[in-house]
Amino acid sequence: MSAQSDDKLLTTAVAAAAAGAALAVAAMKMTEKGGRDKKGKVSASEVPKRPSFIFADPDREVINTGSKAVLFPHNHEEKMKRRIATRVAVEEDNLTPRNSVTVKVPATSANFGPGYDCIGMAVDLWSEVTVSRAKEFKITAEGEGADDMPKDETNLLCTGIKAAFEAANKPVPILSYHVVSRIPYARGLGSSSAAIVAGIVAGLVLAGHRLPCWGSEALLQVAASIEGHPDNVAPAIYGGIQIGIHSGVRWVSERAPFPPGLQLVMFIPDFVGKTSAARSVLSDTITRQEAAFNIGRTAMLIHSLCTSNLDNLRYGVEDKLHQPQRGDKLYPYLFPMIEAAENAGASCAYLSGAGPTVMALTSGASGDIFTQNERERVDHAVAKAMLAVAQSHGIKGNLLVTQGSHEGAKVVKVDPPFSTQDITYRDNI
């Protein structure tokens, strides 16, 4: 390339640079002119915004607050506030008092090892309650614990009904109750919480009243205020594995994932376990080492559930706050049964609630287990191992194999129905 060509290229580059600089200066002046006030400050409306929002519908910007705040995926409660703000009315038919209602509610397994009073799981084992307006008060029951169940207004079903009508600001009418109980009574499977939640749900439907959930979890507040803690009532309401805490203002719950393929193998003793007695053996104080132990195990438990790392579940359900004390003073078969279950292939085992039931989790289930090769699962071997320990300790009881429930309490029948000619709900409710 000649020197003359080099000179031409250099001249062109210098000219382009000068033109670019001139354009930049002009752009800066235009921005300064349009984006600064008389004092030279840049107005907020002129500051460029990063397009990082997930949801910003201009048709929904007419909110009570007039807010145009960015919504991210985790802003569930704000999204719900905006949705409610656009609803100018609720169908009156859905607020009509009902004559009768049938509610199904699941059993629950509380504590889940180290999650004392704050973690629980819904179990695919259901009781059914029918409550109807009547001329005289009556409670009838069949199934598990029917003879031991209170037949007067001390029954927790009545407590839940009363709380629901109080929330609706209506008097409680005369009602009749019929209970088909499949949840073993006072065995550490949430029979009390099931009664409370069933009563509240039935009462709300009968009263024609609904409670807010997003931002308040009002039904949980009512149930937990009766029960005193959320580890049973939260999964009874929502299903799944629930973590519940008190924020200092209200009860708050969140769902933890339930790994696929898990089964629940439960040894349910024939004798009753009173929660009051199970709490009386616990110390009022704990050491720093015990606190650290349970904090670590709870973190490991939730991590194992979130990652489906079933091998670590046996460490995640270990505990220092209640299981050693209850095993030592109330249930001498507890730790031998846990060890036998895990040695037989269970992912973990722990004391369900306040006992006396021992819960083991096994893996490998796929589809309907009665069509699956048993060698792919260990539930049968674990069940046999748990029964052997029970026999060696002279403890009689039943062995139940089921699974967790992703659903909580649900209305299965109502009169008059919610379904109409235009809209049909599940099971034609």
Side-chain angles (χ1 to χ4, degrees):
M1 184 178 289
S2 66
Q4 187 176 2
S5 298
D6 290 342
D7 291 342
K8 288 182 178 180
L9 285 174
L10 180 61
T11 301
T12 301
V14 170
L23 287 172
V25 170
M28 291 173 62
K29 287 182 177 182
M30 290 177 65
T31 302
E32 184 177 274
K33 181 179 180 180
R36 294 182 182 271
D37 58 20
K38 293 181 180 179
K39 295 182 179 180
K41 295 182 179 179
V42 178
S43 61
S45 62
E46 298 298 330
V47 176
K49 296 180 176 61
R50 294 174 58 191
S52 60
F53 59 87
I54 305 300
F55 174 84
D57 188 346
D59 294 333
R60 295 178 180 267
E61 288 180 354
V62 185
I63 309 299
N64 293 338
T65 61
S67 173
K68 297 182 181 180
V70 170
L71 288 184
F72 293 94
H74 62 275
N75 297 135
H76 307 300
E77 294 181 2
E78 180 60 28
K79 290 178 184 178
M80 186 57 63
K81 289 178 183 177
R82 295 191 179 195
R83 180 184 299 177
I84 292 171
T86 64
R87 297 278 303 276
V88 295
V90 177
E91 289 186 34
E92 290 298 324
D93 183 60
N94 287 345
L95 298 178
T96 302
R98 260 59 190 181
N99 297 320
S100 69
V101 60
T102 301
V103 178
K104 290 182 68 175
V105 62
T108 51
S109 179
N111 298 332
F112 219 120
Y116 183 74
D117 277 2
C118 62
I119 302 178
M121 170 178 59
V123 177
D124 191 17
L125 181 64
W126 300 77
S127 285
E128 187 173 288
V129 178
T130 299
V131 186
S132 306
R133 295 177 185 270
K135 294 182 179 179
E136 62 178 3
F137 174 88
K138 182 173 64 174
I139 296 179
T140 57
E142 58 182 291
E144 294 280 354
D147 295 334
D148 299 322
M149 191 180 301
K151 303 301 190 300
D152 57 18
E153 293 187 357
T154 63
N155 192 307
L156 288 172
L157 272 171
C158 301
T159 304
I161 287 279
K162 182 179 178 181
F165 274 87
E166 285 181 353
N169 196 26
K170 295 180 180 180
V172 181
I174 300 173
L175 301 169
S176 67
Y177 305 76
H178 182 68
V179 182
V180 180
S181 177
R182 299 183 183 89
I183 302 174
Y185 177 72
R187 298 295 200 283
L189 290 169
S191 58
S192 296
S193 294
I196 292 170
V197 171
I200 297 171
V201 173
L204 291 172
V205 173
L206 290 172
H209 187 69
R210 301 199 178 195
L211 297 173
C213 180
W214 294 92
S216 60
E217 293 189 274
L219 201 160
L220 177 63
Q221 310 311 309
V222 176
S225 67
I226 298 171
E227 179 76 349
H229 41 86
D231 53 345
N232 283 112
V233 293
I237 294 169
Y238 302 122
I241 298 172
Q242 295 290 331
I243 307 167
I245 64 167
H246 198 281
S247 68
V249 177
R250 67 175 178 90
W251 295 103
V252 179
S253 71
E254 287 290 344
R255 181 185 292 256
F258 193 95
L262 281 184
Q263 286 186 281
L264 313 182
V265 181
M266 296 173 280
F267 175 73
I268 308 171
D270 283 347
F271 62 87
V272 168
K274 293 290 186 181
T275 301
S276 56
R279 287 184 179 269
S280 68
V281 302
L282 305 182
S283 174
D284 292 332
T285 59
I286 61 173
T287 65
R288 183 179 290 108
Q289 289 78 12
E290 290 169 336
F293 184 95
N294 266 54
I295 291 170
R297 291 321 192 267
T298 304
M300 181 64 74
L301 170 63
I302 299 303
H303 183 270
S304 300
L305 294 172
C306 289
T307 60
S308 294
N309 186 344
L310 305 184
D311 291 338
N312 282 341
L313 279 177
R314 65 175 57 199
Y315 308 119
V317 299
E318 292 178 336
D319 158 76
K320 292 290 186 183
L321 300 189
H322 70 103
Q323 291 185 113
Q325 297 86 334
R326 289 167 173 170
D328 180 50
K329 297 180 180 179
L330 298 175
Y331 314 125
Y333 58 87
L334 173 60
F335 286 101
M337 190 171 289
I338 289 174
E339 182 179 6
E342 293 179 347
N343 288 342
S347 298
C348 67
Y350 61 90
L351 182 68
S352 181
T357 294
V358 179
M359 176 77 71
L361 274 61
T362 66
S363 64
S366 181
D368 192 309
I369 62 170
F370 300 111
T371 64
Q372 183 184 12
N373 192 322
E374 285 193 18
R375 288 177 294 181
E376 296 178 346
R377 310 188 319 273
V378 295
D379 50 278
H380 188 267
V382 170
K384 298 284 284 185
M386 295 172 75
L387 283 172
V389 171
Q391 292 172 359
S392 69
H393 283 75
I395 305 296
K396 294 182 179 181
N398 299 316
L399 206 297
L400 176 64
V401 179
T402 184
Q403 58 191 3
S405 173
H406 295 286
E407 286 188 299
K410 54 186 178 181
V411 176
V412 295
K413 188 177 180 180
V414 64
D415 176 40
F418 289 112
S419 295
T420 65
Q421 291 182 346
D422 298 323
I423 302 175
T424 302
Y425 293 96
R426 57 173 169 77
D427 302 324
N428 200 32
I429 295 172

